[in-house]
Amino acid sequence: GFKKEPITLPVRTNVIPRNIPEQAWYHGFIPTILFSGILPFCMVFVEMSFIISSIWHHRFYYLFGFLFLVFLFCVIAVAEVALVGCYFQLCAEDYNWWWRSYFAGGSIAFYCFLFSLYTYVTQAHVGLMSACIYMGYMLIVSYALFVCLGFVGFFTAFTFNRKIFGAVKID
C-alpha cells in the first residue's frame, strides 16, 4: 500500500533510449518466447496427461505430492529459463527485458493449451457442448498458468537485474 517505500533501482536510467543493435532472428520477441516454453513443458507434460485423463475421464488422481514436486521443478525451470534469456538479451545490448521475461515465463501455458487440444482430438470427445466446456476450462487453466509462471519469470529477471546492476560501480 501507501505505507511501503517505493522500489528503488540501483542505477539511474537515461531519458534518451539507446539504439538497440540489429539482432539475429532467434533473438526476436516471438522466437524467444516460443523457445522459452519448451523445456518447462517437457518437464510437466506426462503429469499433465495424467491430470487431464483423471479429470475428464472420471478417474481418481492420488499423486498430489508428486504433482507438487513437478510444479516446484517447473517453477525452478521457468526461473532459470527466464534468467538465462534475460542474460542473453542484455549481452546483446537489448534492454527491453520487462515484457519479454514475463511472456517467456508464461509461454509454457501456450504449450499446455496445445497439448490439451491434442488430447481432446486424440481421445475423441463427442458433442459440441463437451468441446466448448473442455476448451473453456483448459483455456482458463492455461491463462492462470500463464499469469502465475509469467510472474515467476519476470520476478526472476527483475531480481537478477537488480543484483547485477547493484554490483556495478559507476563513477
Side-chain angles (χ1 to χ4, degrees):
F2 294 110
K3 295 180 182 179
K4 188 149 174 95
E5 291 292 323
I7 296 174
T8 58
L9 300 176
V11 294
R12 278 184 333 168
T13 56
N14 196 355
V15 178
I16 303 169
R18 292 180 57 184
N19 289 332
I20 298 173
E22 189 66 33
Q23 306 290 328
W25 68 271
Y26 51 84
H27 281 294
F29 187 77
I30 300 295
T32 303
I33 304 271
L34 291 177
F35 294 149
S36 298
I38 293 174
L39 177 69
F41 177 73
C42 289
M43 294 178 66
V44 300
F45 85 96
V46 172
E47 194 67 24
M48 190 175 164
S49 67
F50 287 139
I51 291 171
I52 289 174
S53 68
S54 68
I55 290 174
W56 296 105
H57 294 289
H58 307 294
R59 297 181 185 147
F60 291 107
Y61 184 79
Y62 297 111
L63 302 172
F64 292 109
F66 188 69
L67 175 65
F68 177 73
L69 193 63
V70 167
F71 181 72
L72 190 65
F73 287 150
C74 177
V75 167
I76 292 170
V78 164
E80 289 176 352
V81 165
L83 183 96
V84 169
C86 182
Y87 176 75
F88 285 144
Q89 187 176 357
L90 291 175
C91 285
E93 298 180 19
D94 187 359
Y95 53 85
N96 295 322
W97 60 270
W98 296 80
W99 283 106
R100 191 176 295 192
S101 65
Y102 185 80
F103 280 103
S107 65
I108 185 176
F110 173 71
Y111 291 106
C112 289
F113 187 71
L114 286 181
F115 181 72
S116 67
L117 287 176
Y118 170 76
T119 304
Y120 182 80
V121 168
T122 57
Q123 295 184 358
H125 295 279
V126 292
L128 179 64
M129 187 57 78
S130 67
C132 289
I133 290 172
Y134 180 82
M135 295 305 158
Y137 277 122
M138 295 314 291
L139 191 63
I140 290 170
V141 168
S142 296
Y143 180 71
L145 197 63
F146 174 77
V147 170
C148 292
L149 294 177
F151 169 75
V152 169
F154 171 76
F155 185 73
T156 303
F158 183 72
T159 306
F160 172 70
N161 280 321
R162 284 190 61 169
K163 292 290 182 186
I164 63 169
F165 287 115
V168 173
K169 302 293 183 201
I170 299 175
D171 291 331

